[in-house]
Amino acid sequence: MTEKGKYNTKQQTIILRCLKRNKEMFCTVDQFMESFRIEGVHIGRTTVYRALERLHKDGIVLKIPSVEGAPAQYRFIEEYKRKNYGKLVCLKCGRSIPLQCGCIDTFFDHILEAHKFELDQGHTILYGYCEECR
């Protein structure tokens, strides 16, 4: 263990390797399971869910939550893209765009002042459709 509560297992290493290999696309847990089956690797579904959620919490994986019955999707985020700013995520193609805009600061200030709620910009994800998918 390197940090309190953090550890690395063989299964987590395999899951992270699969994420990196598919870094250009979002994948569901079923797609990960199929990839592992093809590779002849046995990892339990619960282990995959837990690892993906931990990686999401740590900011290593971007997650599109389950929407209207569709399964949640996960995608690896390159380290240089893991800045403390939000993201715009296209619901059609899965493209992730860094949310770096002075206007967003005004929005965050409004939420804090008017609603007494502090947003965490590093965990802010706005879903919609990119220019190419609209």
Side-chain angles (χ1 to χ4, degrees), residues 88 90-93 95 97 128-134:
L88 302 172
C90 180
L91 290 167
K92 186 171 182 183
C93 71
R95 181 175 175 210
I97 304 165
Y129 298 93
C130 70
E131 184 175 14
E132 294 175 16
C133 294
R134 280 192 305 226

Side-chain angles (χ1 to χ4, degrees), residues 5-107:
K6 300 225 180 191
Y7 57 94
N8 195 10
T9 66
K10 181 180 178 183
Q11 291 88 354
Q12 289 172 346
T13 301
I14 293 168
I15 292 166
L16 190 56
R17 186 177 67 227
C18 185
L19 280 160
K20 288 179 180 180
R21 188 174 54 238
N22 295 298
K23 66 183 176 187
E24 298 301 320
M25 59 190 248
F26 282 89
C27 296
T28 65
V29 169
D30 285 340
Q31 289 170 315
F32 285 111
M33 297 303 292
E34 178 63 14
S35 177
F36 299 143
R37 186 192 66 74
I38 290 169
E39 292 177 23
V41 174
H42 177 72
I43 301 177
R45 182 176 290 276
T46 302
T47 300
V48 174
Y49 272 113
R50 287 181 182 156
L52 290 171
E53 289 301 319
R54 186 176 310 115
L55 292 167
H56 169 64
K57 182 180 174 189
D58 292 344
I60 296 169
V61 167
L62 182 61
K63 175 184 177 183
I64 296 179
S66 177
V67 178
E68 296 179 8
Q73 299 176 54
Y74 303 86
R75 179 178 172 186
F76 178 75
I77 304 172
E78 295 284 352
E79 190 168 349
Y80 72 93
K81 293 182 181 179
R82 294 182 206 156
K83 306 280 188 224
N84 190 28
Y85 46 74
K87 293 169 183 52
L88 302 172
V89 176
C90 180
L91 290 167
K92 186 171 182 183
C93 71
R95 181 175 175 210
S96 174
I97 304 165
L99 184 55
Q100 297 173 293
C101 175
C103 295
I104 198 72
D105 294 333
T106 304
F107 175 70

Side-chain angles (χ1 to χ4, degrees), residues 90-127:
C90 180
L91 290 167
K92 186 171 182 183
C93 71
R95 181 175 175 210
S96 174
I97 304 165
L99 184 55
Q100 297 173 293
C101 175
C103 295
I104 198 72
D105 294 333
T106 304
F107 175 70
F108 278 74
D109 290 342
H110 165 77
I111 296 296
L112 181 60
E113 292 171 20
H115 303 282
K116 307 299 184 233
F117 189 84
E118 184 174 5
L119 293 170
D120 179 347
Q121 190 170 355
H123 288 95
T124 300
I125 301 174
L126 299 176
Y127 300 97

